[in-house]
Amino acid sequence: MEYDVKDMGLADQGAGRIEWATQSMPVLNRIRKRFADERPLAGATLAACLHVTTETAALMRTLAAGGARVLLCASNPLSTQDDVAAALVKNDAIPVFAIKGEDHETYYRHINAVLDAKPQYTMDDGADLVSTLHSDRSELVGGVKGGTEETTTGIIRLKSMAADGALKYPIIAVNDARTKHFFDNRYGTGQSTIDGIIRATNRLLAGSIFVVCGYGWCGRGLAMRARGMGANVIVTEVDPTAALEAVMDGFSVMPMDEAARAGHFFCTVTGNINVIRKDHFAMMRDGAIVANSGHFNVELDLEGLAAITRSRRVIRPFVEEYALENGRSVNVLGEGRLVNLAAAEGHPSSVMDMSFANQALGMEYLIQSGAGLENRVYPVPEAIDRRIAQEKLAAMEVNIDRLTPEQEKYLASWNMGT
Ligand code: ADE
C-alpha cells in the first residue's frame, strides 16, 4: 500500500487520541455500527481531502466500515496531525498522504496521489481536490459520480463552478445542513480559534481589545467566546445586516481603519481576500497579535506586511514576529493559516460528530440515490439533518416535546385566526 506520512512511529500515540475523540462522537459511532452491518458504500472508491485530525480518523473508519475503499489527503498544509496519519495507515490500512508543514508542491502531490486511485466519489473541505480534478486531472472527472463539501469557502467555489457550467458532477453541501453550520461554524470555530490563539501565545485575553473580522456563523461564535474570556470585542463587517446584528448583540462595530489602531488581537473569519491589508498593519499598536481562522491563508495580506517589514523571526512555535520599518512589531500566528488547526487541534469532537454524521449520511445518500442528480450543488436532505439533531439530543439525554394532534392541525390550517 502506498502512503506518505511523517513518522509511522507515532501510530500508537495517534491511536489513543483517536479513541479519545471517538468517545465524544456518539452519532457517528451509531452510523459506523449500522454501516458495518449494512455495507451501504460497498464497492465505492472515495478520495477524501480533509483536515487530518482525530475526528477525521473516526469518519474515515466509518466510511471504511460501510464498505468504501477510502484514501485521505490533507485539505491544508498545516492542519495534519502526524500521529493520526500514521495510526490510520498502521491500524486501518487507509492510505494517507499528509505531513504537517508540507510545502505547496507536496500538498498538491498528495492531492494527486489520492486522485491516482480513480475515485468515484470525492469528499472535500475547501474544494482543492475538486478543483485539481477538474483542471489538472480532467481525464478522471468522467469516472466521478458525486462528492460532498464540508465548508462555506468550498461551497462558494463549487457554486461558481456550477454557475459557469464547469462542475462535472453533483455535490452535497454538508456545510449548509443546520446540524453543521449552526454548531461547527459557531461553537466549534468559537472555541477552537480561542484555543489556537491561546496555545500559540499564552497571552491573557481578559481586558484586551479583540477584533473579529466577519460576523458570519464563525465570527458570531468567535466574538461570543472572546467576550466570554473577558475581552472587549470589536467586530468589522461589510454586510449591513450582519453588522446590525453584531451591534444588537452588544459588540462595537467599526471599519478596519479604526479597529486596526485599537486592537491587541485580530482574527479574520470572512472567507474573503486581503481583509487586513498593509495600511492596517502599519497602524497597529506595537506587539499586536494577528491570526486567521478562515479556510484559506488569503485573509491577511502578508505580502503587504512583508513590504513594510525590516526583519522577521519565529519567536516561538506558530508566532512569527514582523519588525516593521515604523519601529513597531506585529505577530502573525500560524503563517496566517487557520489558527484553530495550525496551533490547536481544530473543533472538538462532539461538534465534529454532527458535521461528520452529515458527511457519512450525505455520502450514503449520494451512493444510494444520487443517480438522477444534476451537476450542481445540493443541500443535505432535510430528513437527514433532522435525524442527526434527534440522535444528538438522544445521546445528550435531552428529551423534547412532540406536537399534539391539535397543534399539528392548527399549524396546517389557514382559516383559524383571531
Ligand atoms: N475542521 C475544523 N475542525 C476540524 C476537526 N477537528 N477535524 C476535521 N476538520 C475540522
Side-chain angles (χ1 to χ4, degrees):
M1 180 178 95
E2 265 190 70
Y3 60 86
D4 192 16
V5 303
K6 183 168 181 210
D7 178 1
M8 287 300 288
L10 297 171
D12 290 347
Q13 175 188 310
R17 293 181 57 250
I18 294 168
E19 192 184 329
W20 176 255
T22 305
Q23 288 175 11
S24 301
M25 304 184 82
V27 180
L28 193 65
N29 290 341
R30 281 192 60 172
I31 296 171
R32 190 175 59 253
K33 287 191 189 106
R34 178 173 66 78
F35 274 14
D37 289 341
E38 297 176 5
R39 308 279 287 173
L41 318 183
T45 298
L46 201 165
C49 178
L50 300 168
H51 300 296
V52 180
T53 65
T54 52
E55 293 76 23
T56 298
L59 173 62
M60 293 299 105
R61 286 177 167 175
T62 304
L63 301 170
R69 173 182 169 224
V70 283
L71 301 98
L72 175 65
C73 67
S75 59
N76 184 287
L78 258 192
S79 61
T80 297
Q81 298 172 5
D82 291 313
D83 55 346
V84 170
L88 278 174
V89 171
K90 185 173 169 202
N91 302 329
D92 300 278
I94 292 177
V96 182
F97 299 83
I99 298 174
K100 186 172 176 97
E102 61 196 12
D103 60 18
H104 184 263
E105 185 262 319
T106 312
Y107 177 74
Y108 279 98
R109 183 160 49 75
H110 285 160
I111 288 183
N112 276 291
V114 300
L115 291 176
D116 287 343
K118 302 192 173 60
Q120 290 130 5
Y121 296 92
T122 60
M123 186 172 276
D124 214 347
D125 185 341
D128 280 348
L129 180 69
V130 176
S131 120
T132 305
L133 179 62
H134 281 71
S135 49
D136 301 345
R137 302 297 300 274
S138 57
E139 79 281 4
L140 298 175
V141 90
V144 183
K145 297 181 184 160
T148 58
E149 168 54 51
E150 170 78 7
T151 201
T152 323
T153 300
I155 288 166
I156 292 169
R157 286 176 92 185
L158 293 164
K159 282 189 173 160
S160 51
M161 279 175 81
D164 281 352
L167 186 66
K168 299 289 182 236
Y169 57 85
I171 297 282
I172 303 289
V174 165
N175 184 73
D176 294 353
R178 294 196 302 168
T179 46
K180 200 280 186 180
H181 66 270
F182 282 174
F183 303 95
D184 169 311
N185 300 27
R186 181 167 36 172
Y187 305 111
T189 306
Q191 177 166 322
S192 63
T193 301
I194 297 286
D195 185 15
I197 292 172
I198 292 175
R199 286 199 212 190
T201 64
N202 195 28
R203 288 276 168 86
L204 185 71
L205 296 188
S208 71
I209 298 176
F210 193 111
V211 180
V212 175
C213 308
Y215 205 66
W217 288 107
C218 296
R220 290 176 180 118
L222 177 56
M224 174 169 64
R225 291 294 175 251
R227 174 155 66 190
M229 295 293 287
N232 298 292
V233 177
I234 295 173
V235 170
T236 69
E237 244 307 336
V238 291
D239 179 285
T241 317
L244 196 54
E245 187 183 354
V247 171
M248 296 209 183
D249 284 344
F251 298 111
S252 302
V253 175
M254 62 185 74
M256 195 62 215
D257 278 353
E258 286 170 41
R261 295 176 205 280
H264 298 98
F265 295 89
F266 296 82
C267 189
T268 50
V269 267
T270 69
N272 213 332
I273 193 164
N274 294 337
V275 176
I276 303 187
R277 299 181 283 277
K278 183 164 76 175
D279 292 350
H280 301 136
F281 286 117
M283 289 172 191
M284 287 181 185
R285 67 170 84 218
D286 190 26
I289 290 170
V290 184
N292 164 52
S293 208
H295 186 81
F296 286 121
N297 60 334
V298 295
E299 306 208 11
L300 310 176
D301 175 16
L302 294 181
E303 272 181 31
L305 176 60
I308 54 168
T309 292
R310 258 189 302 116
S311 62
R312 296 156 63 158
R313 63 179 171 144
V314 175
I315 187 164
R316 53 183 265 147
F318 305 113
V319 184
E320 188 163 14
E321 181 195 64
Y322 287 68
L324 306 193
E325 285 159 354
N326 66 14
R328 296 194 285 264
S329 69
V330 167
N331 299 292
V332 175
L333 306 188
E335 302 170 16
R337 299 192 187 277
L338 15 75
V339 70
N340 60 337
L341 281 142
E345 293 169 65
H347 303 349
S349 322
S350 65
V351 87
M352 294 311 295
D353 188 26
M354 289 187 280
S355 311
F356 284 169
N358 275 291
Q359 283 285 11
L361 297 182
M363 188 51 74
E364 180 186 32
Y365 167 76
L366 257 183
I367 292 176
Q368 304 274 310
S369 327
L373 298 178
E374 291 165 21
N375 297 342
R376 56 186 177 85
V377 178
Y378 287 88
V380 172
E382 167 117 30
I384 292 182
D385 205 356
R386 268 181 83 83
R387 193 173 355 130
I388 291 171
Q390 280 161 347
E391 292 200 3
K392 190 70 175 173
L393 281 172
M396 295 168 89
E397 298 178 356
V398 176
N399 293 317
I400 60 169
D401 289 324
R402 282 174 193 277
L403 290 173
T404 63
E406 183 195 31
Q407 287 171 328
E408 273 181 23
K409 194 168 159 212
Y410 177 78
L411 291 177
S413 71
W414 53 268
N415 52 1
M416 275 195 244
T418 312

